[in-house]
Amino acid sequence: MTTKLVVGLDGHASGEKALAYASRLARLIGDCELVVAYIVEWSPFSFQTAEENAQRHKRREKEIDTAMERVVNPAVKHVTDSGLKARGLVRHGDVSDTLIAISKAEGAEQIIVARTSEGGFAKRFFGSSTSNLVMSSTVPVTVVS
Amino acid sequence: MNYVQKALVAAAAIAAPVSAVAQEAGSLDEKVNAAFASVTGPFVNLIFAPFPGTSFPWIVMWLVVGATIFTLYFGFVQFRFFGHAIKLVKGDYSDPNDAGEVSHFQALTTALSGTVGLGNIAGVAVAIGIGGPGATFWMILAGLLGMASKFTECTLAVKYRNEYPDGTVSGGPMYYMKKGFAELGLPGGGFLAIMFSIFCILGALGGGNMFQANQAHAQIAGITGDYPGWITGVVFAVVVFAVIVGGIKKIAQVTEKVVPFMGILYVGASLIIILMNYDQIGAAFGAIFAGAFTGLGVAGGFVGALIQGFKRAAFSNEAGVGSAAIAHAAVRTKEPITEGFVSLLEPLIDTVVICTMTALVITISGQLIVNPETGLYVLNEAGTAIATVGNTSGVALTSAAFGSAISWFPYVLAIAVVLFAFSTMISWSYYGLKAWTYLFGEGKASELTFKMIFCVFIVIGAAASLGPVIYFSDAAIFAMAVVNIFALYFLMKLVRRELNNYTRRLKAGEIKAYVH
């Protein structure tokens, strides 16, 4: 049975470290697939204007396309080019909750994320999000420094 | 001039400290005011015309009968599905794969930001000033009944919205009138949609704009001292212009985030004041119930209380008006009726909770002067409204009531009023724009024209005195309700079909919660 590892990317250098570590682990495991995930931070309980709501579906599609194009697809290509199996996905939601949900849905053995990065994803992961992930995850979490 | 109009004239008159700024601000304000009053007069008289031989405005009966019929037709949906509505807002039934789309919570809070505002602060004070505390009882009743109206219109708004290829959506009464009537094979849907759109544009310019600008100016002037209203109007117009034309979304986004906290702060302060005077809560509710049926000496008796209660409730929660349906239409759901369930919470939060808080604070504060011998309220010199300490009315009465318990709160209230006014303007600019684009087509030039007109009316609203502005605001918004409720009578069978279908599947376990 194929072992699955979920890798959380942030679009920065630290995310690449997580991907590099996951790739190394995948080689050691052998039959392994990397699920490369990018989470767009989003809360259903935020406050929006009527105009933002009307545009929301369009923006969501654009956010997914942009994340796939700029972050996820290049990472997946990098991994598959090296002979490993990998799949990419983009989800909206709370970073730690969504990574945990993905790990459950995929039946993953482990979640691998980077500890720090600069801006963007880093702010979300730095501190509470990483802690939440480590505290709440039902599978082992590796935090790459 | 009918009773209501006379009463409102009196309200405007005793609002002198509030509106004095606009009235005394010089020739420009006076000219704007006079021209505005003469132009809008006939429209206002038509909407507020009383039943022959009575002082009861037909429009009030129209709203109440509509809300009652929807309540009965859907078997008290507001109570049966209240718990389910809460679960929907919590996201229990939201598919995780749809994360990133507009949630029920977001659609609800966006619609609420358009309704929670001056209606809850100034409107309630006007109702109590004229109709006495008894108006609160009728306001709550109207709020509870209005939940069914809101349910009906918001379900239809999602069901019949337009989804464009680029992923954006446009929805609202004009869309369900046209498509719903066509589906039923009925004529006239297109005509009703056009009528609604015209009134919606007027409502956006009136209650959603001029009334807000007017009362925001009154609040600012109350703190800084007299100055011409058009100055506030120009400042507001520039900021609104920056948001809706300039696309500076940050301002609107910040407002949208601050306004809910101001709402919570307002309710929190109200609760503190009510608890500080816990020994008077019983008496306040006593005055509300007794006043509802006797008037407690208020001009117009219990009918006056009833009219004011129903009117201000409708103005505040906009149930049956169709405005919020435009906001709710943006939600992404496979089940249109779920948005109907969520929307029925809106009149509850707006009217039954927040308006009642304002009413209790005013009643408890002792700002309404009572004759100690008779226990009845003392009327002002004109005999058309309750005399208050310092002759305040409208937002100034609410401010004085809060100030009597928490001395610094009027300053917080002033900030809240300005923010509420701004937030309501942004919401209504969108509602008006949707009606405008329905009539004149979507396109940059068309949209810019409406947005420019909207900004001009901010200046007019801030410069005009309270009387003509409040007449016009009420009339335009109620005119929307005339068309909307008329259409809902024909379309409600479509909603019942949805309701029966959904209820059956919910009971059969076909609709499952994702969170348990």
Side-chain angles (χ1 to χ4, degrees), chain A:
Chain A
M1 189 181 150
T2 305
T3 303
K4 287 183 183 175
L5 303 177
V6 172
V7 188
L9 287 188
D10 63 355
H12 291 89
S14 52
E16 288 169 20
K17 284 184 197 168
L19 190 66
Y21 176 75
S23 299
R24 211 157 51 239
L25 211 56
R27 280 184 211 292
L28 292 172
I29 293 168
D31 185 10
C32 183
E33 183 185 35
L34 299 187
V35 179
V36 180
Y38 182 93
I39 314 300
V40 181
E41 181 77 34
W42 180 83
S43 168
F45 301 109
S46 63
F47 298 102
Q48 306 207 109
T49 63
E51 196 166 1
E52 282 175 315
N53 284 349
Q55 304 275 339
R56 187 60 220 156
H57 179 66
K58 185 181 169 185
R59 284 190 60 188
R60 177 181 182 264
E61 299 293 303
K62 199 176 174 190
E63 284 163 1
I64 292 172
D65 287 348
T66 307
M68 280 302 261
E69 190 185 313
R70 292 190 188 167
V71 183
V72 178
N73 286 344
V76 170
K77 187 173 183 306
H78 179 72
V79 174
T80 50
D81 283 353
S82 69
L84 292 167
K85 277 196 280 185
R87 217 154 30 85
L89 48 87
V90 176
R91 293 279 186 274
H92 283 74
D94 174 77
V95 174
S96 62
D97 289 350
T98 311
L99 282 176
I100 292 166
I102 292 170
S103 72
K104 280 183 187 166
E106 295 285 346
E109 291 293 324
Q110 197 178 141
I111 300 172
I112 298 157
V113 292
R115 184 165 64 93
T116 59
S117 56
E118 293 165 14
F121 206 70
K123 284 179 190 165
R124 297 159 206 157
F125 251 105
F126 192 65
S128 64
S129 283
T130 311
S131 313
N132 286 344
L133 181 63
V134 172
M135 295 297 285
S136 314
S137 178
T138 48
V139 296
V141 177
T142 298
V143 182
V144 181
S145 63

